[in-house]
Amino acid sequence: MALMSGTELAKEIVADAGRRAAAFEAAAGRKPCLATVLVGEDPASVTYVRMKRNRCRQAGIESRHVPLPATTTTAGLVRVIGELSADPGVDGILLQHPVPAGIDERAAFEAIAPGKDVDGVTMHSFAAMSFGLPGFESCTPGGIMRLLDAYEVGIEGRHAVVIGRSPILGKPVAMLLLARHATVTVCHSRTADLPSIVRSADLVVAAVGRPEFVRGSWIKPGAVVVDAGYNPGNVGDVAFAEAAERASLITPVPGGVGPTTIAVLLAQTVTAAESTMD
Ligand code: NAP
């Protein structure tokens, strides 16, 4: 068994984004700019936004923070995001989610201009991912694909089992794997006999949100295991010690998928800025 280190890969992605951000600044006379929109004060969301803004700063990317009260309406949020979409000084827009109940999150996401959707959450970006066309990737799925490529994991013709079908993780990672010619099975809470499906997988992506849900006995010997889960106490969705006994490659939690997510966000922000120079 070998570990797939997201920490190391993320450093490389961020260093590259930093070099490209500096070149952009030299050419454009301004830094690439990511607008972060946070509705309400959910502590986890506050922490995530702070981390993303700190990483931006370290990579030479400006971050413009837009905090909004929890009482914000869908129309109000759509208006703010529409203004950021039209602002030539903003290259990328991140709406931290989940947004408070009562706001139509999809409507808010769709107010993000496709060229600024550096978090890869719009229908436009999902379609591009599904068709294998250029576009912004959903960041966690994008990070997973970069990890698989960095460790030279064969994807074409392999059976990939994705556990979870959320719009930001399970579904888009399934589409990215399909675009790379994997045979993809997407499982969810109504899937019958999940363990036997996982046992047939060459590649398992766990995106369930339940600590140590995927057991070692479900893993086919030699399979590659990607644990996207991040549960309280730094615990993934895979029972790591058990799964590591059978997997050929496995991501740790923490230090696996997590760090690559922010790295992809930064890289895509710089790409969005660069595209304004075309
Ligand atoms: P989510 O929206 O809650 O989706 C969870 C998915 O798991 C759903 O599709 C659900 O099925 C499925 N599921 C739940 N119970 C199941 C069961 N017993 N058997 C099979 N499938 C089951 O979660 P998410 O946002 O995709 O996040 C998933 C995990 O990834 C969480 O641990 C989260 O913290 C982590 N995450 C990490 C990052 C990162 O940067 N590393 C980013 C985002 C998320 P249904 O659709 O049928 O309900």
Side-chain angles (χ1 to χ4, degrees), residues 140 164-166 168-169 188-189 207-210 213 228-231 258 261:
T140 304
R165 57 172 167 179
S166 72
I168 55 126
L169 219 175
H188 46 78
S189 65
V208 196
R210 290 172 167 235
F213 176 75
Y230 191 64
N231 303 292
T261 298

Side-chain angles (χ1 to χ4, degrees), residues 24 26 45 56 93 100 130 143 146-147 151 157-158 162 187 202 216 220 252 254 263 265 269:
F24 173 82
S45 294
C56 278
I93 300 169
S130 302
R146 282 166 180 74
L147 260 176
Y151 285 85
R158 313 296 291 279
V162 178
C187 302
D202 303 306
K220 180 165 85 175
L265 176 71
T269 300

Side-chain angles (χ1 to χ4, degrees), residues 4 9 144-156 158 180 224 248-249:
M4 284 188 275
L9 176 62
I144 290 170
M145 298 308 290
R146 282 166 180 74
L147 260 176
L148 295 174
D149 286 341
Y151 285 85
E152 297 180 349
V153 173
I155 296 172
E156 185 173 333
R158 313 296 291 279
R180 294 278 299 276
V224 173
S248 58
L249 273 172

